[in-house]
C-alpha cells in the first residue's frame, strides 16, 4: 500500500521553498508529519491562523497544536516544568503533544490557543516537516488537515479530496508512517499530591505505559476531557459555550459517512468489513473488505485505519462492520478513534 513520494529530491527542495514562502505571506500549507497531514499556518499571524479555522469549519474555541523543531524552540513558547521537559527529551521528535503554560511574550496569535493560558506543542518526526520548520524559521500552527468532524488525512490525496482549493499548497510526503494523531498530555501538580501526575488528554501512538516508564509517574486517562469551565460534551460543530481544552471532549470526530458497528463478529447485508488479523473471506465475495492488518499487528492497523475508513467511504456500503481490536498498546488509541467514528453516525 506504500505510495511513493511524488516529488524527486530536486522537486522537493523547490516545493519546500514554495511552502515556506506561502507560509511567510500568511497562506495555508498542508504538511505531512509522521502521524497525519497537518494544515499549517504561521502561528504568529492571526489572520493566517483564522484561515485554518475557516478552511476546516472548526469552531474557534477549539485550540490548535503548534509545531516546532525541538525542545529548545518549544521552550521559547511554553513554560516547561521538569516532567514536561523529560518526556519531551524522550519522545521528541515524535508523536507526543505536550500542553504547557503559554509564554505571552512569544507572540503566538490568540486564535491559536483560543484564549487559553496554555498551549499544545509538538516536534514532528518527519523529514519534510522538520525541513519546512528549519527553512521557514516559523512556529507552525497545524491541526489535522481535514474538515472538522471528518476523517483525518494520511495521504496528500486525502487532503486534496477533502479540502481541495481551501489549501494554498500541499507538500506531498506520501503516506504517513504512524497514521493516528499524536498522544496529547498535560502535567499537573496539585497541593494534595506529592508527585505530579500526567493527564492523557488524547490516546495516540505513544502509549500510557511508555509515558509511565519514562517518567516514573502515574498517567491518568479521563474518558472525556475535563474542561476548565466544567465537563463538556458535544461535537466539533457544537455551538455551546463550553470550551473544550481536551480533545477528548469532542465526540464527533473521524467520521465516515456511514455507521460503524464495532466488535462485529458477523457482516450484515450491505456492510463492508474492516478486518483485523487473518480473515476467512470465502463467503464474502461481494463484501467490500479492508484488512487493517492481516497479521494482527496493532502498529500496522494504526497506520492503515484512516486510509481504510476513507476507502470504505467510497464503496457505497450502508455500514461498516469492524472486527474486535485488542485494547492494548496503540490498540487503545485505535479503539478510541473507532469509538468516536461509531458515535457520530
Ligand atoms: O498528530 C497530531 O497531533 C496532528 C498533526 C498534524 O500534528 N494534529 C492534530 O491536531 O491532531 P488537531 O487540531 O486535529 O488536534 C489537536 C487537539 C485538539 O483536539 C485540541 O482541542 C487540542 O489538541 N488542544 C490544542 N491546544 C490545547 C490546549 N492548550 N489544551 C488542551 N488541548 C489542546
Ligand atoms: Mg483533528
Amino acid at each position: 500500500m506504500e505510495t511513493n513520494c511524488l516529488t524527486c529530491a530536486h522537486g522537493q527542495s523547490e516545493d519546500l521553498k514554495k511552502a515556506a514562502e506561502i507560509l511567510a505571506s500568511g497562506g495555508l500549507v498542508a504538511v505531512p508529519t509522521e502521524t497525519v497531514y497537518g494544515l499549517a499556518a504561521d502561528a504568529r499571524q492571526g489572520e493566517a491562523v483564522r484561515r485554518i479555522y475557516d478552511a476546516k469549519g472548526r469552531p474557534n474555541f477549539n485550540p490548535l497544536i503548534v509545531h516546532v523543531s525541538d525542545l529548545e524552540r518549544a521552550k521559547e513558547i511554553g513554560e516547561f516544568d521538569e516532567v514536561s521537559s523529560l518526556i519531551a527529551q524522550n519522545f521528541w521528535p515524535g508523536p507526543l503533544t505536550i500542553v504547557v503554560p503559554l509564554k505571552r511574550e512569544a507572540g503566538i496569535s490568540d486564535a491559536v490557543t483560543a484564549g487559553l493560558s496554555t498551549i499544545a506543542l509538538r516536534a514532528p518526526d518527519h523529514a519534510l516537516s522538520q525541513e519546512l520548520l528549519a527553512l521557514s524559521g516559523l512556529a507552525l500552527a497545524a491541526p489535522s488537515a481535514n474538515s472538522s468532524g471528518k476523517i483525518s488525512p494520511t495521504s496528500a490525496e486525502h487532503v486534496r479530496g477533502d479540502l481541495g482549493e481551501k489549501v494554498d499548497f500541499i507538500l506531498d510526503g506520501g503516506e504517513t508512517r504512524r497514521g493516528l494523531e499524536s498522544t496529547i498530555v498535560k502535567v499537573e501538580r496539585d497541593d494534595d499530591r506529592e508527585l505530579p501526575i500526567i493527564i492523557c488528554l488524547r490516546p495516540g501512538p505513544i502509549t500510557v505505559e511508555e509515558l509511565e516508564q519514562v517518567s516514573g509517574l502515574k498517567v491518568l486517562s479521563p474518558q472525556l476531557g475535563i474542561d476548565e469551565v466544567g465537563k463538556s460534551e458535544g461535537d466539533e460543530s457544537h455551538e455551546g459555550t463550553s470550551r473544550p481544552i481536551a480533545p477528548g471532549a469532542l465526540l464527533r470526530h473521524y467520521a465516515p459517512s456511514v455507521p460503524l458497528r464495532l466488535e462485529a463478529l458477523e457482516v450484515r447485508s450491505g456492510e463492508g468489513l474492516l478486518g483485523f488479523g487473518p480473515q476467512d473471506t470465502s463467503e464474502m465475495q461481494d463484501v467490500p473488505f479492508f484488512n487493517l492488518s492481516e497479521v494482527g499487528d496493532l502498529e500496522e492497523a494504526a497506520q492503515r485505519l484512516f486510509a481504510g475508513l476513507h476507502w470504505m467511504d467510497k464503496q457505497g456500503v450502508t455500514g461498516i462492520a469492524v472486527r474486535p481490536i485488542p485494547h492494548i498498546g496503540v490498540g487503545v488509541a485505535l479503539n478510541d478513534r473507532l469509538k468516536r467514528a461509531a458515535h457520530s453516525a
Side-chain angles (χ1 to χ4, degrees):
M1 275 276 303
E2 282 288 337
T3 55
N4 289 328
C5 179
L6 298 180
T7 43
C8 64
H10 173 68
Q12 217 162 60
S13 70
E14 288 301 308
D15 282 356
L16 278 163
K17 235 172 80 191
K18 184 169 172 191
E21 280 165 13
I22 291 171
L23 289 167
S25 60
L28 299 187
V29 177
V31 184
T33 78
E34 78 279 35
T35 58
V36 300
Y37 276 69
L39 184 59
D42 177 358
R44 292 185 173 87
Q45 295 188 47
E47 205 42 56
V49 174
R50 277 185 283 277
R51 286 191 59 205
I52 296 181
Y53 286 89
D54 287 348
K56 280 179 64 81
R58 181 175 176 116
N60 63 7
F61 56 74
N62 190 9
L64 310 179
I65 294 177
V66 172
H67 296 67
V68 290
S69 52
D70 54 24
L71 180 55
E72 202 182 321
R73 278 299 169 92
K75 283 182 171 172
E76 294 168 4
I77 299 175
E79 304 271 4
F80 278 71
D81 58 276
E82 239 173 81
V83 177
S84 298
S85 292
L86 176 76
I87 55 179
Q89 270 153 7
N90 271 274
F91 295 107
W92 282 3
L96 179 71
T97 295
I98 307 177
V99 175
V100 291
L102 169 71
K103 287 186 174 169
R104 294 268 165 215
E105 66 274 21
I108 299 299
S109 157
D110 283 344
V112 169
T113 52
L116 293 175
S117 59
T118 54
I119 185 157
L121 290 159
R122 128 172 158 85
D125 183 16
H126 191 289
L128 282 182
S129 41
Q130 281 290 344
E131 282 172 46
L132 184 60
L133 286 165
L135 189 65
S136 67
L138 302 172
L140 296 177
S144 51
N146 53 285
S147 303
S148 205
K150 293 275 169 60
I151 307 163
S152 290
T154 55
S155 71
E157 290 72 38
H158 293 161
V159 180
R160 224 169 270 131
D162 182 349
L163 295 178
E165 297 297 303
K166 295 177 186 161
V167 193
D168 297 313
F169 189 59
I170 302 176
L171 203 51
D172 192 337
E175 281 185 13
T176 61
R177 213 167 58 244
R178 297 286 204 144
L180 293 183
E181 302 88 343
S182 61
T183 305
I184 304 182
V185 295
K186 185 178 186 194
V187 177
E188 282 193 356
R189 186 180 283 279
D190 68 37
D191 297 340
D192 303 338
R193 289 196 192 86
E194 225 169 273
L195 290 173
I197 49 168
I198 298 175
I199 315 272
C200 178
L201 299 169
R202 175 173 73 185
I206 303 293
T207 63
V208 164
E209 293 75 22
E210 288 176 284
L211 287 161
E212 289 187 335
Q213 203 190 5
V214 160
S215 66
L217 296 171
K218 184 97 200 107
V219 176
L220 296 185
S221 308
Q223 263 291 303
L224 282 184
I226 309 297
D227 191 335
E228 272 171 358
V229 182
K231 268 201 170 147
S232 64
E233 56 181 21
D235 56 38
E236 286 208 19
S237 58
H238 183 63
E239 294 195 346
T241 50
S242 68
R243 187 185 268 273
I245 65 157
L250 300 173
L251 279 176
R252 194 185 134 74
H253 235 117
Y254 321 108
S257 55
V258 294
L260 258 75
R261 205 161 53 76
L262 306 185
E263 316 262 329
L265 300 178
E266 81 295 343
V267 182
R268 296 180 186 159
S269 162
E271 284 183 338
L273 174 65
L274 209 55
F276 180 78
Q279 307 287 318
D280 177 8
T281 51
S282 53
E283 288 179 17
M284 305 193 304
Q285 254 61 334
D286 298 326
V287 175
F289 171 53
F290 187 100
N291 205 341
L292 293 173
S293 172
E294 206 148 334
V295 294
D297 178 83
L298 288 168
E299 301 277 340
E300 184 184 23
Q303 198 268 330
R304 287 165 58 79
L305 175 68
F306 292 142
L309 291 176
H310 275 284
W311 181 82
M312 212 47 102
D313 234 6
K314 297 201 191 99
Q315 305 309 308
V317 293
T318 54
I320 305 170
V322 187
R323 291 283 193 232
I325 293 175
H327 204 68
I328 46 168
V330 73
V332 174
L334 263 162
N335 281 312
D336 169 80
R337 304 305 190 272
L338 283 166
K339 228 159 80 191
R340 286 170 205 287
H343 185 93
S344 62

